[in-house]
PDB file of all heavy atoms in Angstrom:
ATOM      1  N   ARG J   1    -134.141-181.300  18.103  1.00  0.00           N
ATOM      2  CA  ARG J   1    -133.984-182.612  17.564  1.00  0.00           C
ATOM      3  C   ARG J   1    -132.471-182.920  17.449  1.00  0.00           C
ATOM      4  O   ARG J   1    -131.776-182.248  16.634  1.00  0.00           O
ATOM      5  CB  ARG J   1    -134.689-182.736  16.205  1.00  0.00           C
ATOM      6  CG  ARG J   1    -134.705-184.139  15.679  1.00  0.00           C
ATOM      7  CD  ARG J   1    -135.085-184.210  14.160  1.00  0.00           C
ATOM      8  NE  ARG J   1    -135.473-185.520  13.723  1.00  0.00           N
ATOM      9  CZ  ARG J   1    -135.509-185.941  12.474  1.00  0.00           C
ATOM     10  NH1 ARG J   1    -135.267-184.984  11.509  1.00  0.00           N
ATOM     11  NH2 ARG J   1    -135.881-187.127  12.111  1.00  0.00           N
ATOM     12  N   LEU J   2    -132.076-183.865  18.203  1.00  0.00           N
ATOM     13  CA  LEU J   2    -130.673-184.313  18.084  1.00  0.00           C
ATOM     14  C   LEU J   2    -130.516-185.423  17.126  1.00  0.00           C
ATOM     15  O   LEU J   2    -131.412-186.250  16.930  1.00  0.00           O
ATOM     16  CB  LEU J   2    -130.173-184.804  19.497  1.00  0.00           C
ATOM     17  CG  LEU J   2    -130.358-183.854  20.668  1.00  0.00           C
ATOM     18  CD1 LEU J   2    -129.826-184.515  21.895  1.00  0.00           C
ATOM     19  CD2 LEU J   2    -129.746-182.535  20.393  1.00  0.00           C
ATOM     20  N   SER J   3    -129.355-185.459  16.442  1.00  0.00           N
ATOM     21  CA  SER J   3    -129.022-186.456  15.480  1.00  0.00           C
ATOM     22  C   SER J   3    -127.744-187.190  15.863  1.00  0.00           C
ATOM     23  O   SER J   3    -126.831-186.499  16.467  1.00  0.00           O
ATOM     24  CB  SER J   3    -128.874-185.924  14.081  1.00  0.00           C
ATOM     25  OG  SER J   3    -130.056-185.326  13.581  1.00  0.00           O
ATOM     26  N   CYS J   4    -127.688-188.443  15.581  1.00  0.00           N
ATOM     27  CA  CYS J   4    -126.503-189.247  15.790  1.00  0.00           C
ATOM     28  C   CYS J   4    -126.102-189.917  14.496  1.00  0.00           C
ATOM     29  O   CYS J   4    -126.826-190.818  14.107  1.00  0.00           O
ATOM     30  CB  CYS J   4    -126.670-190.157  16.995  1.00  0.00           C
ATOM     31  SG  CYS J   4    -125.314-191.294  17.201  1.00  0.00           S
ATOM     32  N   ALA J   5    -125.081-189.500  13.822  1.00  0.00           N
ATOM     33  CA  ALA J   5    -124.698-190.099  12.564  1.00  0.00           C
ATOM     34  C   ALA J   5    -123.658-191.151  12.852  1.00  0.00           C
ATOM     35  O   ALA J   5    -122.592-190.874  13.502  1.00  0.00           O
ATOM     36  CB  ALA J   5    -124.188-189.057  11.621  1.00  0.00           C
ATOM     37  N   ALA J   6    -123.830-192.388  12.333  1.00  0.00           N
ATOM     38  CA  ALA J   6    -122.917-193.449  12.560  1.00  0.00           C
ATOM     39  C   ALA J   6    -122.155-193.747  11.280  1.00  0.00           C
ATOM     40  O   ALA J   6    -122.748-193.705  10.196  1.00  0.00           O
ATOM     41  CB  ALA J   6    -123.695-194.710  13.058  1.00  0.00           C
ATOM     42  N   SER J   7    -120.908-194.094  11.387  1.00  0.00           N
ATOM     43  CA  SER J   7    -120.092-194.552  10.358  1.00  0.00           C
ATOM     44  C   SER J   7    -119.220-195.699  10.768  1.00  0.00           C
ATOM     45  O   SER J   7    -119.149-195.993  11.958  1.00  0.00           O
ATOM     46  CB  SER J   7    -119.281-193.429   9.799  1.00  0.00           C
ATOM     47  OG  SER J   7    -118.347-192.914  10.776  1.00  0.00           O
ATOM     48  N   GLY J   8    -118.569-196.335   9.782  1.00  0.00           N
ATOM     49  CA  GLY J   8    -117.805-197.566  10.089  1.00  0.00           C
ATOM     50  C   GLY J   8    -118.647-198.740   9.915  1.00  0.00           C
ATOM     51  O   GLY J   8    -119.544-198.823   9.139  1.00  0.00           O
ATOM     52  N   ARG J   9    -118.321-199.733  10.754  1.00  0.00           N
ATOM     53  CA  ARG J   9    -118.903-201.089  10.583  1.00  0.00           C
ATOM     54  C   ARG J   9    -120.246-201.156  11.370  1.00  0.00           C
ATOM     55  O   ARG J   9    -120.365-201.862  12.368  1.00  0.00           O
ATOM     56  CB  ARG J   9    -117.927-202.164  10.999  1.00  0.00           C
ATOM     57  CG  ARG J   9    -116.749-202.186  10.117  1.00  0.00           C
ATOM     58  CD  ARG J   9    -115.806-203.312  10.525  1.00  0.00           C
ATOM     59  NE  ARG J   9    -114.643-203.318   9.648  1.00  0.00           N
ATOM     60  CZ  ARG J   9    -113.667-204.251   9.707  1.00  0.00           C
ATOM     61  NH1 ARG J   9    -113.717-205.168  10.678  1.00  0.00           N
ATOM     62  NH2 ARG J   9    -112.587-204.149   8.925  1.00  0.00           N
ATOM     63  N   THR J  10    -121.201-200.394  10.944  1.00  0.00           N
ATOM     64  CA  THR J  10    -122.516-200.375  11.579  1.00  0.00           C
ATOM     65  C   THR J  10    -123.270-201.672  11.231  1.00  0.00           C
ATOM     66  O   THR J  10    -123.024-202.310  10.250  1.00  0.00           O
ATOM     67  CB  THR J  10    -123.378-199.146  11.220  1.00  0.00           C
ATOM     68  OG1 THR J  10    -123.448-199.093   9.773  1.00  0.00           O
ATOM     69  CG2 THR J  10    -122.627-197.885  11.654  1.00  0.00           C
ATOM     70  N   ASP J  11    -124.168-201.991  12.080  1.00  0.00           N
ATOM     71  CA  ASP J  11    -124.990-203.172  12.031  1.00  0.00           C
ATOM     72  C   ASP J  11    -126.427-202.882  12.490  1.00  0.00           C
ATOM     73  O   ASP J  11    -126.580-202.278  13.525  1.00  0.00           O
ATOM     74  CB  ASP J  11    -124.396-204.311  12.850  1.00  0.00           C
ATOM     75  CG  ASP J  11    -124.925-205.652  12.520  1.00  0.00           C
ATOM     76  OD1 ASP J  11    -126.120-205.792  12.303  1.00  0.00           O
ATOM     77  OD2 ASP J  11    -124.140-206.600  12.590  1.00  0.00           O
ATOM     78  N   THR J  12    -127.397-203.241  11.676  1.00  0.00           N
ATOM     79  CA  THR J  12    -128.761-203.007  12.002  1.00  0.00           C
ATOM     80  C   THR J  12    -129.165-203.777  13.305  1.00  0.00           C
ATOM     81  O   THR J  12    -130.217-203.519  13.854  1.00  0.00           O
ATOM     82  CB  THR J  12    -129.670-203.350  10.894  1.00  0.00           C
ATOM     83  OG1 THR J  12    -129.486-204.710  10.496  1.00  0.00           O
ATOM     84  CG2 THR J  12    -129.475-202.408   9.722  1.00  0.00           C
ATOM     85  N   ARG J  13    -128.377-204.744  13.673  1.00  0.00           N
ATOM     86  CA  ARG J  13    -128.647-205.438  14.920  1.00  0.00           C
ATOM     87  C   ARG J  13    -128.215-204.664  16.203  1.00  0.00           C
ATOM     88  O   ARG J  13    -128.627-205.045  17.260  1.00  0.00           O
ATOM     89  CB  ARG J  13    -127.900-206.785  14.925  1.00  0.00           C
ATOM     90  CG  ARG J  13    -128.451-207.757  13.885  1.00  0.00           C
ATOM     91  CD  ARG J  13    -127.536-209.037  13.808  1.00  0.00           C
ATOM     92  NE  ARG J  13    -126.200-208.683  13.348  1.00  0.00           N
ATOM     93  CZ  ARG J  13    -125.186-209.580  13.242  1.00  0.00           C
ATOM     94  NH1 ARG J  13    -125.428-210.871  13.515  1.00  0.00           N
ATOM     95  NH2 ARG J  13    -124.031-209.162  12.743  1.00  0.00           N
ATOM     96  N   TYR J  14    -127.509-203.579  16.014  1.00  0.00           N
ATOM     97  CA  TYR J  14    -127.136-202.785  17.148  1.00  0.00           C
ATOM     98  C   TYR J  14    -128.355-202.138  17.786  1.00  0.00           C
ATOM     99  O   TYR J  14    -129.334-201.733  17.155  1.00  0.00           O
ATOM    100  CB  TYR J  14    -126.180-201.619  16.742  1.00  0.00           C
ATOM    101  CG  TYR J  14    -124.868-202.035  16.302  1.00  0.00           C
ATOM    102  CD1 TYR J  14    -123.982-201.063  15.601  1.00  0.00           C
ATOM    103  CD2 TYR J  14    -124.361-203.303  16.505  1.00  0.00           C
ATOM    104  CE1 TYR J  14    -122.696-201.461  15.234  1.00  0.00           C
ATOM    105  CE2 TYR J  14    -123.038-203.627  16.113  1.00  0.00           C
ATOM    106  CZ  TYR J  14    -122.220-202.659  15.472  1.00  0.00           C
ATOM    107  OH  TYR J  14    -121.028-203.050  15.076  1.00  0.00           O
ATOM    108  N   ALA J  15    -128.323-201.995  19.058  1.00  0.00           N
ATOM    109  CA  ALA J  15    -129.261-201.171  19.782  1.00  0.00           C
ATOM    110  C   ALA J  15    -128.668-199.824  20.005  1.00  0.00           C
ATOM    111  O   ALA J  15    -127.460-199.676  20.118  1.00  0.00           O
ATOM    112  CB  ALA J  15    -129.642-201.776  21.153  1.00  0.00           C
ATOM    113  N   TRP J  16    -129.487-198.801  20.013  1.00  0.00           N
ATOM    114  CA  TRP J  16    -128.957-197.421  20.194  1.00  0.00           C
ATOM    115  C   TRP J  16    -129.619-196.774  21.355  1.00  0.00           C
ATOM    116  O   TRP J  16    -130.750-196.966  21.672  1.00  0.00           O
ATOM    117  CB  TRP J  16    -129.317-196.628  18.879  1.00  0.00           C
ATOM    118  CG  TRP J  16    -128.728-197.190  17.658  1.00  0.00           C
ATOM    119  CD1 TRP J  16    -129.321-198.151  16.853  1.00  0.00           C
ATOM    120  CD2 TRP J  16    -127.472-196.864  17.042  1.00  0.00           C
ATOM    121  NE1 TRP J  16    -128.467-198.428  15.799  1.00  0.00           N
ATOM    122  CE2 TRP J  16    -127.351-197.698  15.925  1.00  0.00           C
ATOM    123  CE3 TRP J  16    -126.475-196.015  17.431  1.00  0.00           C
ATOM    124  CZ2 TRP J  16    -126.243-197.617  15.097  1.00  0.00           C
ATOM    125  CZ3 TRP J  16    -125.343-195.915  16.650  1.00  0.00           C
ATOM    126  CH2 TRP J  16    -125.271-196.691  15.455  1.00  0.00           C
ATOM    127  N   GLY J  17    -128.783-195.932  22.001  1.00  0.00           N
ATOM    128  CA  GLY J  17    -129.236-195.188  23.163  1.00  0.00           C
ATOM    129  C   GLY J  17    -128.807-193.698  23.181  1.00  0.00           C
ATOM    130  O   GLY J  17    -127.843-193.360  22.534  1.00  0.00           O
ATOM    131  N   TRP J  18    -129.597-192.920  23.914  1.00  0.00           N
ATOM    132  CA  TRP J  18    -129.246-191.569  24.242  1.00  0.00           C
ATOM    133  C   TRP J  18    -129.069-191.473  25.720  1.00  0.00           C
ATOM    134  O   TRP J  18    -129.954-191.901  26.509  1.00  0.00           O
ATOM    135  CB  TRP J  18    -130.290-190.605  23.733  1.00  0.00           C
ATOM    136  CG  TRP J  18    -130.242-190.327  22.267  1.00  0.00           C
ATOM    137  CD1 TRP J  18    -131.012-190.921  21.335  1.00  0.00           C
ATOM    138  CD2 TRP J  18    -129.441-189.408  21.565  1.00  0.00           C
ATOM    139  NE1 TRP J  18    -130.733-190.429  20.044  1.00  0.00           N
ATOM    140  CE2 TRP J  18    -129.754-189.528  20.192  1.00  0.00           C
ATOM    141  CE3 TRP J  18    -128.421-188.530  21.999  1.00  0.00           C
ATOM    142  CZ2 TRP J  18    -129.099-188.730  19.210  1.00  0.00           C
ATOM    143  CZ3 TRP J  18    -127.773-187.791  20.984  1.00  0.00           C
ATOM    144  CH2 TRP J  18    -128.107-187.891  19.645  1.00  0.00           C
ATOM    145  N   PHE J  19    -127.957-190.822  26.125  1.00  0.00           N
ATOM    146  CA  PHE J  19    -127.667-190.646  27.551  1.00  0.00           C
ATOM    147  C   PHE J  19    -127.338-189.172  27.743  1.00  0.00           C
ATOM    148  O   PHE J  19    -127.036-188.468  26.718  1.00  0.00           O
ATOM    149  CB  PHE J  19    -126.463-191.498  28.018  1.00  0.00           C
ATOM    150  CG  PHE J  19    -126.791-192.965  28.014  1.00  0.00           C
ATOM    151  CD1 PHE J  19    -126.702-193.687  26.835  1.00  0.00           C
ATOM    152  CD2 PHE J  19    -127.041-193.614  29.241  1.00  0.00           C
ATOM    153  CE1 PHE J  19    -126.994-195.046  26.858  1.00  0.00           C
ATOM    154  CE2 PHE J  19    -127.344-194.951  29.220  1.00  0.00           C
ATOM    155  CZ  PHE J  19    -127.255-195.693  28.041  1.00  0.00           C
ATOM    156  N   ARG J  20    -127.387-188.698  28.993  1.00  0.00           N
ATOM    157  CA  ARG J  20    -127.091-187.270  29.186  1.00  0.00           C
ATOM    158  C   ARG J  20    -126.299-187.158  30.486  1.00  0.00           C
ATOM    159  O   ARG J  20    -126.511-188.007  31.389  1.00  0.00           O
ATOM    160  CB  ARG J  20    -128.383-186.480  29.227  1.00  0.00           C
ATOM    161  CG  ARG J  20    -129.378-186.798  30.247  1.00  0.00           C
ATOM    162  CD  ARG J  20    -130.678-186.069  30.079  1.00  0.00           C
ATOM    163  NE  ARG J  20    -131.543-186.205  31.179  1.00  0.00           N
ATOM    164  CZ  ARG J  20    -132.728-185.610  31.213  1.00  0.00           C
ATOM    165  NH1 ARG J  20    -133.152-184.847  30.206  1.00  0.00           N
ATOM    166  NH2 ARG J  20    -133.548-185.811  32.250  1.00  0.00           N
ATOM    167  N   GLN J  21    -125.516-186.080  30.537  1.00  0.00           N
ATOM    168  CA  GLN J  21    -124.769-185.872  31.764  1.00  0.00           C
ATOM    169  C   GLN J  21    -124.686-184.372  31.989  1.00  0.00           C
ATOM    170  O   GLN J  21    -124.190-183.572  31.220  1.00  0.00           O
ATOM    171  CB  GLN J  21    -123.330-186.367  31.534  1.00  0.00           C
ATOM    172  CG  GLN J  21    -122.489-186.272  32.767  1.00  0.00           C
ATOM    173  CD  GLN J  21    -121.162-187.120  32.608  1.00  0.00           C
ATOM    174  OE1 GLN J  21    -120.719-187.366  31.505  1.00  0.00           O
ATOM    175  NE2 GLN J  21    -120.592-187.502  33.781  1.00  0.00           N
ATOM    176  N   ALA J  22    -125.252-184.005  33.151  1.00  0.00           N
ATOM    177  CA  ALA J  22    -125.263-182.645  33.592  1.00  0.00           C
ATOM    178  C   ALA J  22    -124.013-182.416  34.387  1.00  0.00           C
ATOM    179  O   ALA J  22    -123.354-183.330  35.000  1.00  0.00           O
ATOM    180  CB  ALA J  22    -126.531-182.353  34.433  1.00  0.00           C
ATOM    181  N   PRO J  23    -123.587-181.077  34.482  1.00  0.00           N
ATOM    182  CA  PRO J  23    -122.378-180.811  35.332  1.00  0.00           C
ATOM    183  C   PRO J  23    -122.437-181.356  36.780  1.00  0.00           C
ATOM    184  O   PRO J  23    -123.445-181.141  37.401  1.00  0.00           O
ATOM    185  CB  PRO J  23    -122.329-179.235  35.288  1.00  0.00           C
ATOM    186  CG  PRO J  23    -123.064-178.891  34.084  1.00  0.00           C
ATOM    187  CD  PRO J  23    -124.114-179.916  33.926  1.00  0.00           C
ATOM    188  N   GLY J  24    -121.413-181.988  37.131  1.00  0.00           N
ATOM    189  CA  GLY J  24    -121.356-182.552  38.488  1.00  0.00           C
ATOM    190  C   GLY J  24    -122.139-183.807  38.752  1.00  0.00           C
ATOM    191  O   GLY J  24    -122.230-184.258  39.900  1.00  0.00           O
ATOM    192  N   LYS J  25    -122.822-184.367  37.743  1.00  0.00           N
ATOM    193  CA  LYS J  25    -123.645-185.519  37.868  1.00  0.00           C
ATOM    194  C   LYS J  25    -123.099-186.658  36.970  1.00  0.00           C
ATOM    195  O   LYS J  25    -122.394-186.430  36.008  1.00  0.00           O
ATOM    196  CB  LYS J  25    -125.087-185.161  37.522  1.00  0.00           C
ATOM    197  CG  LYS J  25    -125.708-184.105  38.369  1.00  0.00           C
ATOM    198  CD  LYS J  25    -127.091-183.767  37.981  1.00  0.00           C
ATOM    199  CE  LYS J  25    -128.048-184.804  38.319  1.00  0.00           C
ATOM    200  NZ  LYS J  25    -129.459-184.413  38.040  1.00  0.00           N
ATOM    201  N   GLU J  26    -123.540-187.837  37.288  1.00  0.00           N
ATOM    202  CA  GLU J  26    -123.155-189.007  36.509  1.00  0.00           C
ATOM    203  C   GLU J  26    -124.070-189.080  35.224  1.00  0.00           C
ATOM    204  O   GLU J  26    -125.165-188.495  35.150  1.00  0.00           O
ATOM    205  CB  GLU J  26    -123.344-190.295  37.278  1.00  0.00           C
ATOM    206  CG  GLU J  26    -122.425-190.453  38.509  1.00  0.00           C
ATOM    207  CD  GLU J  26    -122.514-191.717  39.184  1.00  0.00           C
ATOM    208  OE1 GLU J  26    -123.487-192.490  38.873  1.00  0.00           O
ATOM    209  OE2 GLU J  26    -121.711-191.966  40.113  1.00  0.00           O
ATOM    210  N   ARG J  27    -123.461-189.721  34.271  1.00  0.00           N
ATOM    211  CA  ARG J  27    -124.194-189.944  33.029  1.00  0.00           C
ATOM    212  C   ARG J  27    -125.436-190.817  33.272  1.00  0.00           C
ATOM    213  O   ARG J  27    -125.383-191.805  33.971  1.00  0.00           O
ATOM    214  CB  ARG J  27    -123.334-190.602  31.984  1.00  0.00           C
ATOM    215  CG  ARG J  27    -123.844-190.520  30.561  1.00  0.00           C
ATOM    216  CD  ARG J  27    -122.767-190.919  29.520  1.00  0.00           C
ATOM    217  NE  ARG J  27    -121.652-190.056  29.673  1.00  0.00           N
ATOM    218  CZ  ARG J  27    -120.621-190.106  28.809  1.00  0.00           C
ATOM    219  NH1 ARG J  27    -120.603-191.004  27.800  1.00  0.00           N
ATOM    220  NH2 ARG J  27    -119.563-189.275  29.009  1.00  0.00           N
ATOM    221  N   GLU J  28    -126.513-190.400  32.721  1.00  0.00           N
ATOM    222  CA  GLU J  28    -127.840-191.076  32.940  1.00  0.00           C
ATOM    223  C   GLU J  28    -128.551-191.464  31.654  1.00  0.00           C
ATOM    224  O   GLU J  28    -128.442-190.739  30.615  1.00  0.00           O
ATOM    225  CB  GLU J  28    -128.717-190.295  33.870  1.00  0.00           C
ATOM    226  CG  GLU J  28    -129.296-189.073  33.247  1.00  0.00           C
ATOM    227  CD  GLU J  28    -130.271-188.350  34.134  1.00  0.00           C
ATOM    228  OE1 GLU J  28    -130.402-188.691  35.318  1.00  0.00           O
ATOM    229  OE2 GLU J  28    -130.997-187.419  33.650  1.00  0.00           O
ATOM    230  N   PHE J  29    -129.304-192.500  31.722  1.00  0.00           N
ATOM    231  CA  PHE J  29    -130.040-192.982  30.595  1.00  0.00           C
ATOM    232  C   PHE J  29    -131.224-192.014  30.252  1.00  0.00           C
ATOM    233  O   PHE J  29    -131.881-191.532  31.154  1.00  0.00           O
ATOM    234  CB  PHE J  29    -130.547-194.365  30.892  1.00  0.00           C
ATOM    235  CG  PHE J  29    -131.586-194.876  29.912  1.00  0.00           C
ATOM    236  CD1 PHE J  29    -131.142-195.392  28.674  1.00  0.00           C
ATOM    237  CD2 PHE J  29    -132.926-194.905  30.231  1.00  0.00           C
ATOM    238  CE1 PHE J  29    -132.106-195.859  27.770  1.00  0.00           C
ATOM    239  CE2 PHE J  29    -133.831-195.316  29.329  1.00  0.00           C
ATOM    240  CZ  PHE J  29    -133.433-195.825  28.085  1.00  0.00           C
ATOM    241  N   ALA J  30    -131.475-191.840  28.981  1.00  0.00           N
ATOM    242  CA  ALA J  30    -132.659-191.140  28.488  1.00  0.00           C
ATOM    243  C   ALA J  30    -133.557-191.964  27.690  1.00  0.00           C
ATOM    244  O   ALA J  30    -134.802-192.023  27.936  1.00  0.00           O
ATOM    245  CB  ALA J  30    -132.215-189.846  27.788  1.00  0.00           C
ATOM    246  N   ALA J  31    -132.967-192.568  26.617  1.00  0.00           N
ATOM    247  CA  ALA J  31    -133.871-193.311  25.697  1.00  0.00           C
ATOM    248  C   ALA J  31    -133.052-194.311  24.943  1.00  0.00           C
ATOM    249  O   ALA J  31    -131.783-194.196  24.840  1.00  0.00           O
ATOM    250  CB  ALA J  31    -134.518-192.360  24.678  1.00  0.00           C
ATOM    251  N   ALA J  32    -133.690-195.388  24.489  1.00  0.00           N
ATOM    252  CA  ALA J  32    -132.975-196.410  23.711  1.00  0.00           C
ATOM    253  C   ALA J  32    -134.004-197.051  22.720  1.00  0.00           C
ATOM    254  O   ALA J  32    -135.163-197.063  22.970  1.00  0.00           O
ATOM    255  CB  ALA J  32    -132.398-197.485  24.547  1.00  0.00           C
ATOM    256  N   ILE J  33    -133.409-197.557  21.658  1.00  0.00           N
ATOM    257  CA  ILE J  33    -134.234-198.246  20.621  1.00  0.00           C
ATOM    258  C   ILE J  33    -133.590-199.562  20.176  1.00  0.00           C
ATOM    259  O   ILE J  33    -132.303-199.626  20.114  1.00  0.00           O
ATOM    260  CB  ILE J  33    -134.436-197.298  19.387  1.00  0.00           C
ATOM    261  CG1 ILE J  33    -135.433-197.957  18.404  1.00  0.00           C
ATOM    262  CG2 ILE J  33    -133.140-196.973  18.753  1.00  0.00           C
ATOM    263  CD1 ILE J  33    -135.940-196.913  17.371  1.00  0.00           C
ATOM    264  N   SER J  34    -134.287-200.624  19.951  1.00  0.00           N
ATOM    265  CA  SER J  34    -133.764-201.866  19.630  1.00  0.00           C
ATOM    266  C   SER J  34    -133.208-201.934  18.260  1.00  0.00           C
ATOM    267  O   SER J  34    -133.627-201.133  17.352  1.00  0.00           O
ATOM    268  CB  SER J  34    -134.781-202.939  19.827  1.00  0.00           C
ATOM    269  OG  SER J  34    -135.878-202.793  18.929  1.00  0.00           O
ATOM    270  N   GLY J  35    -132.277-202.839  18.011  1.00  0.00           N
ATOM    271  CA  GLY J  35    -131.722-202.979  16.709  1.00  0.00           C
ATOM    272  C   GLY J  35    -132.626-203.656  15.648  1.00  0.00           C
ATOM    273  O   GLY J  35    -132.516-203.460  14.498  1.00  0.00           O
ATOM    274  N   SER J  36    -133.574-204.411  16.117  1.00  0.00           N
ATOM    275  CA  SER J  36    -134.557-205.035  15.369  1.00  0.00           C
ATOM    276  C   SER J  36    -135.944-204.765  15.980  1.00  0.00           C
ATOM    277  O   SER J  36    -136.140-204.904  17.155  1.00  0.00           O
ATOM    278  CB  SER J  36    -134.323-206.518  15.178  1.00  0.00           C
ATOM    279  OG  SER J  36    -134.372-207.196  16.437  1.00  0.00           O
ATOM    280  N   GLY J  37    -136.919-204.379  15.141  1.00  0.00           N
ATOM    281  CA  GLY J  37    -138.193-204.116  15.611  1.00  0.00           C
ATOM    282  C   GLY J  37    -138.486-202.693  16.017  1.00  0.00           C
ATOM    283  O   GLY J  37    -139.620-202.237  15.950  1.00  0.00           O
ATOM    284  N   GLY J  38    -137.406-201.990  16.382  1.00  0.00           N
ATOM    285  CA  GLY J  38    -137.598-200.602  16.729  1.00  0.00           C
ATOM    286  C   GLY J  38    -138.380-200.271  17.944  1.00  0.00           C
ATOM    287  O   GLY J  38    -138.797-199.182  18.115  1.00  0.00           O
ATOM    288  N   THR J  39    -138.428-201.215  18.923  1.00  0.00           N
ATOM    289  CA  THR J  39    -139.063-200.952  20.169  1.00  0.00           C
ATOM    290  C   THR J  39    -138.185-199.979  21.003  1.00  0.00           C
ATOM    291  O   THR J  39    -136.998-199.983  20.903  1.00  0.00           O
ATOM    292  CB  THR J  39    -139.278-202.270  20.922  1.00  0.00           C
ATOM    293  OG1 THR J  39    -138.119-202.965  21.141  1.00  0.00           O
ATOM    294  CG2 THR J  39    -140.306-203.140  20.210  1.00  0.00           C
ATOM    295  N   THR J  40    -138.838-199.214  21.818  1.00  0.00           N
ATOM    296  CA  THR J  40    -138.177-198.132  22.555  1.00  0.00           C
ATOM    297  C   THR J  40    -138.437-198.211  24.047  1.00  0.00           C
ATOM    298  O   THR J  40    -139.465-198.778  24.485  1.00  0.00           O
ATOM    299  CB  THR J  40    -138.637-196.750  22.027  1.00  0.00           C
ATOM    300  OG1 THR J  40    -140.072-196.652  22.202  1.00  0.00           O
ATOM    301  CG2 THR J  40    -138.308-196.628  20.528  1.00  0.00           C
TER     302      THR J  40
END
């Protein structure tokens, strides 16, 4: 279970994403969640 702790001027309207990057490869999308409604 990975955690991402946010600080500063956070806003519940932000959308959040998780990306990953393996050695020698480009960063790729894994998952995202909306800022309102929590759709994924």
